[in-house]
Amino acid sequence: MNPIIETRKLSKYFHDPISFQVLKEIDLSIQAGEFVSVVGKSGCGKSTLLYLISTMDTNYEGQLYLNNELITGKSDKELAQIRNEKIGFVFQFHYLLSEYNVLKNVMLPGLKLGKYTTEEVEHRALEQLRVLGMHDQALKMPNQLSGGQKQRVAIARALINNPLIIMGDEPTGNLDKKNSDVVFGIFQELTQAHNQTLLIVTHDPDFAKKTNRTITMEDGRIVT
């Protein structure tokens, strides 16, 4: 099997004002096409783990591999490139830029990557919006969309560079039950139809129990 994500003895300390170990020697492996949720009480370390795995926090002990490549020790510039090209993010809040329409918001990571022409990026963006049932909203501004629609646009943006993995930090935390179910359905479709790998931190037990695998954390450790 080819793990998309692998951690070896991943540990994290906070030093404010005294040293406190928030993650304790985490060994984790996520295979291609898996839909994995991470659950646990507030303060157990699940969001901290996500930020380490996503390369946004590099102050840790242990090793992190992405698609069998050692990521630990790479420069900030290299990590920024890896994040943009290989990791898609969906957060609790959509973080759409209010000055750009839906289409441009989805295009931005693709334009930043610089791998395709503007026309190709636009085509890819429209294709992702079509998959998510949002192509007819492409020219609207974010303030014209509902919360559920904004989150779908954020998912399209996360997919624009065809990432190895999509990571979510409470992506349904701001949505009602109906829209949460829609977002879950989108994630499930991405895994089943496109073999997309997903790692989602959630406090929603209904969401977690429907994923392929649930990782439970307690006091900085994986317990199940």
Side-chain angles (χ1 to χ4, degrees), residues 29-47:
S29 181
I30 296 168
Q31 306 297 326
E34 267 197 299
F35 184 177
V36 180
S37 55
V38 183
V39 300
K41 290 177 183 166
S42 184
C44 70
K46 57 188 188 295
S47 288

Side-chain angles (χ1 to χ4, degrees), residues 56-114:
M56 288 199 275
D57 183 351
T58 58
N59 185 13
Y60 60 83
E61 296 175 4
Q63 294 174 316
L64 169 64
Y65 293 83
L66 179 64
N67 209 26
N68 289 327
E69 179 185 3
L70 181 64
I71 301 301
T72 307
K74 288 190 179 290
S75 69
D76 289 347
K77 188 178 177 185
E78 287 173 311
L79 291 175
Q81 178 73 11
I82 286 166
R83 277 195 298 275
N84 196 32
E85 187 170 5
K86 298 182 177 176
I87 303 172
F89 296 99
V90 185
F91 300 99
Q92 180 172 349
F93 300 101
H94 48 78
Y95 295 115
L96 300 180
L97 297 178
S98 58
E99 65 268 34
Y100 294 129
N101 65 23
V102 164
L103 179 61
K104 186 69 183 285
N105 264 284
V106 176
M107 288 173 65
L108 285 172
L111 295 172
K112 187 179 173 190
L113 186 62

Side-chain angles (χ1 to χ4, degrees), residues 119-177:
E119 290 75 19
E120 285 173 313
V121 173
E122 184 174 314
H123 175 75
R124 290 165 72 90
L126 283 168
E127 201 49 47
Q128 295 299 350
L129 287 168
R130 187 170 285 110
V131 167
L132 299 178
M134 287 294 294
H135 59 288
D136 57 340
Q137 311 289 321
L139 300 181
K140 285 191 176 177
M141 303 304 282
N143 65 0
Q144 296 175 285
L145 303 180
S146 70
Q149 287 176 318
K150 287 173 185 171
Q151 201 59 310
R152 278 194 267 171
V153 174
I155 296 169
R157 180 182 58 192
L159 288 164
I160 186 71
N161 290 336
N162 194 25
L164 287 172
I165 186 168
I166 287 184
M167 300 185 189
D169 192 6
E170 304 283 7
T172 60
N174 220 25
L175 302 176
D176 59 23
K177 175 80 168 70

Side-chain angles (χ1 to χ4, degrees), residues 155 159 166 186-196 198:
I155 296 169
L159 288 164
I166 287 184
I186 289 166
F187 286 155
Q188 195 170 43
E189 172 75 8
L190 289 172
T191 303
Q192 292 173 351
H194 305 282
N195 203 41
Q196 181 68 60
L198 293 157

Side-chain angles (χ1 to χ4, degrees), residues 174-187:
N174 220 25
L175 302 176
D176 59 23
K177 175 80 168 70
K178 182 182 168 205
N179 279 305
S180 294
D181 289 345
V182 168
V183 168
F184 181 87
I186 289 166
F187 286 155

